[in-house]
Amino acid sequence: MGTGEEQHRRQMHDAELGAAVERAQQGDEDAFAVAYRMVQPGLLGYVRGLVGDDAEDVASDAWLEIARDLGRFRGDGAGFRGWTAMIARHRALDHLRKLKRRPRATLIEQDVLQLPGGHDTAASALERLSTQAALEIIGTLPREQAEAVLLRVVVGLDGPAVARVLGKRAGAVRTSAYRGLKRLAEQVSWGSGTGAVTKRARRTLSDEA
């Protein structure tokens, strides 16, 4: 699928998400459920990369905050994904502080490998890897690189949105994402992989180059 078609799909996905969020802000509970289903797979994968087996509980806490503060959100579908990722990151870091341990990059379990089609905006080297191999490779990346890759490839955020979530300069985030993706690419062949996450990672590396 060409870049133009991928961009169109991403735009359609974000338009649908934005419309659902707008209806949810007006009290439509079914619309909130739609927004949840569209965002949760990537969000859970990102949180799992930070807190491991505690991801379900942390993500649930994040969604409670998202639901509580939904009326304050201003933005479109892409903005909503960034906003929810920021909330989830804060909840994950709070959780880790309580446990007095550092975030770890242990993501991409099967739920992440089956992200909705709308996330087909990023691409990569994870395509040919099994879930366990992907976990092992991402676990070797420095944390800032791993987190940038997660937000770009799994959550599907663009560079500026990742920078806002991480509270860093866009240039620094771009460098971290590029280096992380390049290190992943060096460990696998780019030729024949077909996994969704790998495709997203490969395209993301091309975008970051």
Side-chain angles (χ1 to χ4, degrees), residues 20-28 69-74:
V21 170
E22 186 175 349
R23 295 196 306 274
Q25 288 178 314
Q26 297 168 359
D28 187 333
D69 294 343
L70 185 62
R72 298 188 207 171
F73 171 73
R74 296 293 181 270

Side-chain angles (χ1 to χ4, degrees), residues 15-51:
E16 182 182 353
L17 176 58
V21 170
E22 186 175 349
R23 295 196 306 274
Q25 288 178 314
Q26 297 168 359
D28 187 333
E29 294 183 2
D30 290 338
F32 184 83
V34 169
Y36 172 86
R37 288 194 297 270
M38 295 178 76
V39 171
Q40 172 68 352
L43 194 71
L44 182 60
Y46 171 54
V47 173
R48 197 181 300 281
L50 295 177
V51 303

Side-chain angles (χ1 to χ4, degrees), residues 89 124 138 140-153 159 162-163 166-185 201 204-205 208-209:
R89 184 174 192 265
S124 178
I138 289 175
T140 68
L141 297 177
R143 186 171 68 85
E144 63 274 11
Q145 292 181 18
E147 198 168 357
V149 170
L150 285 175
L151 289 167
R152 288 288 275 123
V153 177
V162 173
L166 297 181
K168 295 184 177 181
R169 291 180 295 105
V173 168
R174 180 184 176 89
T175 298
S176 291
Y178 178 78
R179 288 176 176 171
L181 290 164
K182 191 128 183 340
R183 288 182 63 174
L184 293 177
T204 302
L205 180 56
E208 298 293 348

Side-chain angles (χ1 to χ4, degrees), residues 11-153:
Q11 290 171 347
M12 293 295 291
H13 179 272
D14 283 341
E16 182 182 353
L17 176 58
V21 170
E22 186 175 349
R23 295 196 306 274
Q25 288 178 314
Q26 297 168 359
D28 187 333
E29 294 183 2
D30 290 338
F32 184 83
V34 169
Y36 172 86
R37 288 194 297 270
M38 295 178 76
V39 171
Q40 172 68 352
L43 194 71
L44 182 60
Y46 171 54
V47 173
R48 197 181 300 281
L50 295 177
V51 303
D53 292 339
D54 297 332
E56 295 275 0
D57 290 340
V58 172
S60 294
D61 288 343
W63 278 105
L64 288 173
E65 183 173 343
I66 291 164
R68 184 194 70 198
D69 294 343
L70 185 62
R72 298 188 207 171
F73 171 73
R74 296 293 181 270
D76 57 11
F80 184 73
R81 284 190 286 114
W83 183 65
T84 57
M86 188 177 297
I87 290 174
R89 184 174 192 265
H90 289 163
R91 297 287 70 75
L93 295 180
D94 285 346
H95 176 77
L96 291 167
R97 275 192 287 270
K98 290 177 184 176
L99 297 178
K100 295 186 178 179
R101 69 187 191 202
R102 294 177 60 83
R104 54 188 193 206
T106 55
L107 80 145
I108 305 192
E109 299 203 1
Q110 194 60 35
D111 53 350
V112 182
L113 295 175
Q114 297 174 346
L115 292 175
H119 288 270
D120 281 348
T121 61
S124 178
L126 303 180
E127 211 166 9
R128 298 185 58 210
L129 303 178
S130 68
T131 298
Q132 186 57 43
L135 287 169
E136 290 174 359
I137 289 180
I138 289 175
T140 68
L141 297 177
R143 186 171 68 85
E144 63 274 11
Q145 292 181 18
E147 198 168 357
V149 170
L150 285 175
L151 289 167
R152 288 288 275 123
V153 177

Side-chain angles (χ1 to χ4, degrees), residues 1-10 116-123 127 194 196 199-200 202-203:
M1 182 165 44
T3 301
E5 187 175 349
E6 292 159 11
Q7 184 175 3
H8 178 69
R9 284 184 60 186
R10 178 172 70 251
H119 288 270
D120 281 348
T121 61
E127 211 166 9
T194 57
K199 289 179 181 178
R200 285 193 294 275
R202 185 173 57 244
R203 289 193 296 272

